């Protein structure tokens, strides 16, 4: 595949700080490059966009739209279907407060995550994974309470 063709899509459901719920759809564009790291380990990456929704369920809870773009790096060993991943990207939020007690300070946020998953099915078409994500503005504006999310994902690879 080329870096210009859509190579997959995933749906993420999550739960985070202050009873925040999350739902996202994430299209993906694979990079052509793969890196051999020795001992059978291979790294590769892709661009992942996200369009999502966050809902704060505590007092003053807000409904927030979330649009982002993230370069994601994945690591796997040889022919294993199991992977580890990490990423740092950018997010733009429609509101800067999750609820009365959690302010994000800015619509511009950074989102970093670590995760793991497993590809299965014919030609590894399916992807089941978990991500721990932290969203914050990196102290560029107060408040910067940030938000931690536990995200579960199901993807389909073209």
């Amino acid at each position: 595949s080329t870096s210009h063709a859509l190579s997959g899509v995933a749906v993420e459901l999550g739960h985070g700080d202050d009873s925040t719920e999350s739902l996202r759809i994430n299209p993906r564009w694979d990079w052509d490059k793969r890196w051999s790291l020795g001992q059978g380990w291979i790294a590769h990456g892709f661009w992942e966009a996200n369009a999502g929704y966050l809902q704060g369920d505590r007092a003053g809870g807000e409904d927030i739209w979330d649009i982002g773009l993230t370069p994601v790096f994945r690591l796997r060993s040889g022919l294993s279907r199991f992977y580890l991943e990490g990423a740092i990207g950018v997010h733009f939020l429609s509101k800067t407060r999750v609820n009365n007690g959690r302010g994000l300070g800015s619509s511009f946020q950074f989102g970093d995550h670590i995760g793991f998953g497993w590809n299965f099915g014919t030609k590894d078409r399916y992807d089941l994974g978990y991500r721990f994500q932290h969203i914050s503005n990196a102290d560029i504006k107060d408040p910067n309470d940030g938000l931690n999310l536990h995200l579960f994902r199901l993807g389909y690879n073209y």
Side-chain angles (χ1 to χ4, degrees), residues 64-69 90-95 107-109:
I64 302 171
W65 293 102
D66 171 15
I67 302 293
L69 183 64
V90 294
H91 292 256
F92 296 92
L93 306 180
S94 64
K95 297 181 182 174
S107 289
F108 177 79
Q109 300 284 310

Side-chain angles (χ1 to χ4, degrees), residues 66-86:
D66 171 15
I67 302 293
L69 183 64
T70 303
V72 179
F73 292 90
R74 281 195 177 167
L75 177 66
R76 67 175 68 224
S77 173
L79 299 175
S80 172
R81 293 174 152 189
F82 179 79
Y83 63 82
L84 299 172
E85 68 178 19

